[in-house]
Amino acid sequence: MATSDNGHRPFPEDLDRNILVKLPVKSLLRFKCVCKNWYTLIKNPNFIKEHLNNCSKNKCLQLLIYDYGASDGSPPITLISDQGVFPLHENPDYFQRFRGMTNILIGSVDGIYLLERVSDDKYSYALWNPAIREVRPLPKPKMPFSTREGFFGCGLDPLSNGYKLVYFIKNIYAAVYSCSRDSWRIFEFTFRIFHPAKNCIVRFALGTAYLNGAYYWMINEYTPEGVKCSFLSFDFSNEVFGEIDGPVHYSVSKMPILFDDSVALLDYCEDFVYDIWVMIRPGVWNKRFTFQCFPYFKCWYSSTVIFVTRGSRLVSYNVKTQKTTRLGLSYPGLKRFSYEDRCAVYPYKESLVAIKRENE
C-alpha cells in the first residue's frame, strides 16, 4: 500500500490500482520508483493487460510518424495526439538504435512495432515498444528471410498470452517466432490459392491486420473476369493458416482494413468513391458504407482514414460521422505517392508490454 498525505492511514490497494491503471505510460514508468508495491503492481502482467484494455477503450486518435530520411540532428519519430504534435522522445541517445532502420513493417499490435533494417543486402528485424523504449532484436532463422520474397504478421497468442511473429513465402515454407521461446519454428507452407497456375498477389492492410488472435492478408487473384479476392489468416494459438472467401465482387483496386473490430475491405469504385465491405462471419460480407475522399491514404484507424494533401498536410476523415479534421501537421517528408515518400504514418497506442528478454 502507498501511504496518504497525513502519513497515518494507507490507501487501499484497489484504490491504488484503479488510479494507476488510468494513467499514461510515461507517468507509470516514473511511479515505479515510488515504492516497492507500486513497482510490483506496474510490472504485473494482469495490471499490464488491464492498462492496455483501458487504453484501447480510448478512441482518441494517436499517430506515429517515422521519418526514414531524418538528418542525424533531428528526431525521426513524431507523435500526433489530442494534446498536440511533438517528438515522441527527446533523448538523442535513444534515437541511435533506430538509425539504419529502413522500414516499419507492422504497427502497431498492442503498442508493438516490427522494424526492418537492410544493410549490404542483408536483412535484420526487431520488435519495438516506443512507449517504454524497448527494442528486441530477433534471432535470424535458418532460412532466407526478407520482405523481397515473403510476408510478415504479428500478434498475441491468447492462450499462452505471448507475442508471436509469422513469416511465409508462398508455397515454400513458413516460420513462427515466439517471444517466450525466443526461437523460430519452420514448416512447409503450401496453399491451394498460391498454385503456380494462378496469378495472385498478397496485399498488406492499411494499418495493422491483427484481430482476436489472428492475422490477415488479402489475396488478389487476377482472372479474365476481374480481380477476385480472398483472405489468408493465421491463428497464433494453433499456429495454422486458413483461407476465407472475400465478397463476390470484382473491382480494380481493393485494400484490407480493420473497421472498428471487424475484418473489412476498402474497395475503390470510381471518382474517389469507396465502398467498405465488412466480414460478418467467415466468408459472409456486407457492404456497410460508401464514401468519397481524396485517395492519398496513409493509414487506417478504427473508422477513420488518414490521408495527405498536396501541401504535405495530414487530414483525417471519419467514415461514420463524415467529419474531416486537419491534424495540425505539415511535414515535408509526407508525399501523396508512396514512391516519393520518405516517412510513413502508423496508429499509435501506449502499452506497458515488455519485449526485452529477461536477461537484458
Side-chain angles (χ1 to χ4, degrees):
M1 295 182 181
T3 58
S4 61
D5 291 339
N6 61 24
H8 299 291
R9 188 175 62 192
F11 294 128
E13 289 187 8
D14 58 346
L15 180 59
D16 284 354
R17 188 185 188 97
N18 291 337
I19 294 174
L20 292 175
V21 78
K22 298 176 182 178
L23 296 180
V25 168
K26 186 176 181 180
S27 299
L28 293 173
L29 295 180
R30 294 201 308 267
F31 291 165
K32 286 197 299 184
C33 303
V34 170
C35 65
K36 184 177 180 180
N37 284 344
W38 279 17
Y39 177 87
T40 302
L41 174 63
I42 295 171
K43 296 279 288 184
N44 184 284
N46 291 329
F47 177 85
I48 292 173
K49 183 177 181 180
E50 186 179 352
H51 182 269
L52 182 64
N53 291 337
N54 191 67
C55 291
S56 298
K57 294 176 183 177
N58 180 12
K59 294 298 184 179
C60 292
L61 179 65
Q62 294 189 94
L63 298 173
L64 182 145
I65 300 176
Y66 191 107
D67 188 348
Y68 310 115
S71 61
D72 291 339
S74 61
I77 308 163
T78 301
L79 181 65
I80 300 177
S81 71
D82 55 354
Q83 299 178 358
V85 179
F86 47 88
L88 184 61
H89 302 308
E90 297 181 355
N91 183 354
D93 294 335
Y94 175 66
F95 289 131
Q96 296 307 312
R97 71 184 67 185
F98 295 98
R99 298 302 179 187
M101 285 294 180
T102 56
N103 200 2
I104 297 180
L105 297 180
I106 298 175
S108 70
V109 175
D110 292 347
I112 299 173
Y113 296 80
L114 174 64
L115 301 177
E116 177 185 65
R117 185 201 305 269
V118 183
S119 178
D120 297 328
D121 208 30
K122 295 181 180 179
Y123 291 75
S124 58
Y125 299 89
L127 296 176
W128 170 45
N129 184 338
I132 59 175
R133 305 187 180 195
E134 285 191 5
V135 176
R136 179 178 182 143
L138 300 182
K140 294 183 179 180
K142 298 178 180 179
M143 77 283 189
F145 197 61
S146 79
T147 49
R148 287 184 180 179
E149 301 174 337
F151 306 90
F152 282 96
C154 183
L156 175 70
D157 175 354
L159 294 183
S160 68
N161 204 35
Y163 290 88
K164 295 179 178 180
L165 185 72
V166 61
Y167 171 83
F168 69 90
I169 295 180
K170 294 186 293 185
N171 273 1
I172 300 180
Y173 64 81
V176 179
Y177 173 77
S178 167
C179 285
S180 59
R181 297 192 301 261
D182 195 24
S183 63
W184 291 88
R185 182 177 76 88
I186 304 171
F187 55 96
E188 290 186 0
F189 175 74
T190 57
F191 237 77
R192 175 186 59 82
I193 193 171
F194 294 130
H195 190 278
K198 295 188 175 184
N199 182 14
C200 295
I201 64 169
V202 180
R203 293 292 304 270
F204 281 105
L206 188 61
T208 185
Y210 168 79
L211 182 66
N212 299 331
Y215 203 90
Y216 298 86
W217 303 264
M218 188 180 76
I219 313 299
N220 276 351
E221 179 185 354
Y222 292 86
T223 71
E225 293 81 14
V227 181
K228 180 182 178 182
C229 80
S230 60
F231 279 76
L232 181 70
S233 66
F234 181 79
D235 185 308
F236 284 102
S237 295
N238 300 321
E239 296 188 358
V240 295
F241 288 91
E243 184 181 350
I244 302 172
D245 291 334
V248 183
H249 177 70
Y250 296 89
S251 71
V252 176
S253 179
K254 308 181 188 69
M255 188 173 296
I257 59 173
L258 292 184
F259 189 84
D260 290 337
D261 294 321
S262 299
V263 176
L265 191 67
L266 186 64
D267 189 9
Y268 176 72
C269 302
E270 58 182 359
D271 298 330
F272 304 152
V273 175
Y274 297 83
D275 290 334
I276 294 180
W277 293 77
V278 176
M279 187 168 69
I280 308 303
R281 58 180 184 273
V284 179
W285 298 79
N286 183 22
K287 187 168 73 170
R288 291 281 302 276
F289 293 94
T290 297
F291 68 98
Q292 190 171 26
C293 182
F294 289 111
Y296 311 114
F297 297 163
K298 290 300 172 185
C299 73
W300 185 279
Y301 172 77
S302 188
S303 58
T304 300
V305 61
I306 311 300
F307 62 94
V308 63
T309 68
R310 182 175 297 179
S312 296
R313 294 183 180 276
L314 277 182
V315 178
S316 69
Y317 176 76
N318 188 298
V319 173
K320 292 196 292 189
T321 64
Q322 300 182 2
K323 181 180 179 180
T324 301
T325 305
R326 292 185 179 182
L327 300 179
L329 177 69
S330 178
Y331 205 92
L334 285 168
K335 303 296 182 183
R336 293 183 299 166
F337 301 104
S338 58
Y339 63 83
E340 296 178 323
D341 252 338
R342 75 177 194 192
C343 59
V345 182
Y346 303 89
Y348 177 74
K349 180 197 294 185
E350 282 198 328
S351 164
L352 286 166
V353 174
I355 55 174
K356 277 189 175 181
R357 298 167 179 86
E358 292 184 0
N359 58 351
E360 290 181 334

